[in-house]
Amino acid sequence: QARALDAAYQDGEVGELHCIPVVLKDNIDTADMPTTGGSKALAGDVPPEDAVITRELREAGALILGKGNMDEWAHGGMAGYSSVNGQTLNPYDLERSTGGSSGGPAAAVAANFAVLSVGTDTLGSIRSPANAESLAAVKPTLGLVSGTGVIPFALTFDVAGPMTRTITDSAEMLNVIAGVDPADERTLAAAGNIPEDYTDFLDEHALAGVRVGVLRTYVRDDDTAAIDQALEDMADLGAEIVDGIEAPDSLRSLSGEYYTFISETEFKNLLGEYLQERRPDAPVQSHADVLAASEQEGFGMAPVVLNRLRSEATRGSMTDEDYLQAVVEGPAAMRAEIDALLEENDVDVLVHSTGSGSA
């Protein structure tokens, strides 16, 4: 592939990511290598076509070097562990966590195996590995990046985004993967809202006059020194720091009230839809198939993930009234609570440590 791109380079017409090596999380479809979601149930199984993200990256000239290991089905558990590929280690300290669930592609960039990577985030799965492996990553706005051909967890929350060494690299990658995809209705909201070049907004004076609210509820004791230093740096760049904001109980309870119910119901139903539509020849075709395979002796799934699969199996359909009500109420309530915090404290942005509060 690199030789073919080199030949194209002689003609002078190349993509914006020409010959840049990229590693994708192993839940993003690639038609030339397996996509397993971290599960032995899909070991060795190659999807018939690329995900939209994969296609966009290839069209921009990127080299897809390989897939990054992930928490099985993006379900957490032992961060960076899957039954198909075992445990990913943190290149900076083999005793430390890689973060999950996108720990593999993050480790690939941290170890200089690739320049860019793509992860997915449902409840912190881009932000956690970026934190653990010192990357500059972006969890995009829901609907900015296509999810077609990405093994779903919960489409109410799922987003794919760049995990890179620098924020400039993340902006360059967003230029390629952000866009409307008619096959993913969530992205219709992006129409007319995507800038021509994200790097135009990389301004060293961007924090001048910005009121930064510090959400101390989600700053753990161990993180205080690092957060305080970051706030000092922001102040030096012209930000006005508004410290000591506490999240109300009503905000803190929302994730527990809605997230598990919505995400378990969606994974149970969406996994089968994905497999039947995009992987019709795969050895598993439903959540029930995956659970049955995962319960076999010696399969090697992390116990917490297996327990979650069992819990998901008890959920109903996505047409049930309680699910439909939760999907309308939960995210709207979270947005309202965050908007209220911004307005009551007259701040433009809220900051907290990545290690807590990602929900």
Side-chain angles (χ1 to χ4, degrees):
Q1 289 174 32
R3 280 194 291 271
L5 287 165
D6 281 344
Y9 186 72
Q10 300 304 313
D11 299 327
E13 291 295 324
V14 296
E16 52 266 61
L17 297 181
H18 177 75
C19 261
I20 301 293
V22 176
V23 166
L24 302 177
K25 188 175 180 177
D26 198 19
N27 58 354
I28 300 172
D29 285 354
T30 43
D32 56 351
M33 61 186 87
T35 301
T36 73
S39 174
K40 272 186 187 174
L42 288 175
D45 192 75
V46 180
E49 60 180 309
D50 282 341
V52 167
I53 295 172
T54 309
R55 187 186 72 231
E56 290 169 336
L57 289 166
R58 292 195 207 273
E59 288 172 353
L63 287 170
I64 311 297
L65 284 190
K67 310 300 278 292
N69 191 28
M70 58 182 282
D71 296 3
E72 199 146 345
W73 301 117
H75 274 25
M78 297 154 17
Y81 172 83
S82 72
S83 62
V84 75
N85 281 316
Q87 182 70 51
T88 310
L89 302 180
N90 190 322
Y92 289 110
D93 183 344
L94 302 185
E95 300 301 315
R96 287 177 180 264
S97 170
T98 57
S101 62
S102 308
V109 174
N112 287 320
F113 295 153
V115 176
L116 310 174
S117 70
V118 180
T120 63
D121 191 310
T122 308
L123 192 74
S125 296
I126 287 174
R127 292 162 286 168
S128 170
N131 179 49
E133 279 138 318
S134 297
L135 301 184
V138 177
K139 179 198 174 181
T141 305
L142 186 73
L144 187 65
V145 175
S146 171
T148 301
V150 179
I151 299 175
F153 182 0
L155 290 181
T156 295
F157 308 112
D158 288 353
V159 291
M163 299 190 300
T164 66
R165 280 195 175 275
T166 71
I167 200 65
T168 301
D169 284 351
S170 281
E172 296 279 12
M173 197 170 211
L174 268 184
N175 284 341
V176 172
I177 65 175
V180 175
D181 168 21
D184 183 349
E185 290 185 358
R186 302 175 306 162
T187 66
L188 298 180
N193 293 310
I194 299 172
E196 191 172 325
D197 187 352
Y198 279 98
T199 64
D200 288 346
F201 302 96
L202 301 179
D203 176 7
E204 63 184 17
H205 305 296
L207 281 177
V210 172
R211 286 174 58 82
V212 175
V214 186
L215 203 52
R216 284 287 170 182
T217 313
Y218 299 113
V219 177
R220 302 178 302 194
D221 289 346
D222 289 352
D223 298 332
T224 301
I227 292 295
D228 287 348
Q229 181 59 58
L231 294 171
E232 226 176 275
D233 294 341
M234 291 181 197
D236 289 344
L237 291 166
E240 185 178 342
I241 306 300
V242 181
D243 211 337
I245 299 175
E246 298 292 335
D249 290 342
S250 52
L251 173 66
R252 284 181 280 173
S253 66
L254 278 170
S255 177
E257 190 176 346
Y258 289 101
Y259 174 78
T260 300
F261 173 58
I262 292 173
S263 61
E264 288 192 351
T265 302
E266 291 188 0
F267 186 72
K268 175 189 175 181
N269 292 277
L270 293 171
L271 178 62
E273 289 180 16
Y274 159 84
L275 291 167
Q276 291 157 35
E277 288 174 15
R278 295 192 59 94
R279 313 281 290 274
D281 297 325
V284 286
Q285 286 294 298
S286 67
H287 185 279
D289 290 350
V290 168
L291 176 57
S294 304
E295 289 184 317
Q296 296 301 307
E297 189 174 348
F299 187 86
M301 177 177 277
V304 67
V305 177
L306 183 56
N307 288 338
R308 184 175 174 112
L309 288 180
R310 288 168 175 159
S311 176
E312 290 163 350
T314 68
R315 300 296 185 181
S317 79
M318 290 170 61
T319 57
D320 291 350
E321 194 171 328
D322 55 351
Y323 164 77
L324 293 172
Q325 184 176 345
V327 165
V328 170
E329 287 181 356
M334 182 67 83
R335 282 195 297 271
E337 290 276 7
I338 292 170
D339 285 346
L341 272 180
L342 292 167
E343 289 163 16
E344 289 164 9
N345 295 282
D346 188 24
V347 294
D348 302 298
V349 62
L350 295 166
V351 299
H352 61 81
S353 52
T354 312
S356 61
S358 64

